[in-house]
Amino acid sequence: MMKSDIFFMVTTVSIVLVTIGISVALIYLIRILRDANKVSQVVRNEGEEIIGGITKAREEITEKGFDLFSIAKTMMGLITKKKRTRKK
């Protein structure tokens, strides 16, 4: 075997191994990005619920005035509602 044949064989094996490594890394990157997308959707949904709860509490305060019992009742309603609708 000539030196050039050895060089081309080593180069070919190296390129194949690097390609496999990059493919595996891309698969993991895609999985990580999917998980990050799911997390951002959960955060977005939770943020919208928090905003809705704050808006509801603000409306009750403006309608009924500042009543600590009313505010506590509203917050407890949000907490118990949240426990019932939580998905795993």
Side-chain angles (χ1 to χ4, degrees):
M1 232 189 211
M2 300 188 69
K3 289 183 180 183
S4 63
D5 290 336
I6 294 172
F7 170 76
F8 287 118
M9 183 185 292
V10 169
T11 304
T12 302
V13 170
S14 300
I15 289 175
V16 168
L17 291 176
V18 168
T19 303
I20 290 172
I22 290 173
S23 297
V24 169
L26 285 175
I27 289 170
Y28 279 109
L29 180 64
I30 289 170
R31 286 183 179 178
I32 290 169
L33 291 175
R34 282 184 184 166
D35 288 342
N37 188 24
K38 289 177 185 176
V39 168
S40 69
Q41 287 175 353
V42 168
V43 169
R44 185 180 308 118
N45 293 339
E46 295 294 326
E48 289 173 359
E49 283 196 30
I50 290 171
I51 290 171
I54 291 172
T55 302
K56 183 178 177 184
R58 186 184 312 152
E59 289 171 357
E60 287 191 14
I61 289 173
T62 55
E63 288 175 7
K64 299 176 184 177
F66 186 77
D67 181 18
L68 191 57
F69 179 74
S70 172
I71 295 171
K73 183 179 173 183
T74 302
M75 292 302 163
M76 290 304 289
L78 290 174
I79 291 171
T80 56
K81 176 184 171 188
K82 188 64 186 163
K83 285 183 181 177
R84 283 184 275 144
T85 60
R86 180 165 281 185
K87 295 179 183 177
K88 287 191 177 187

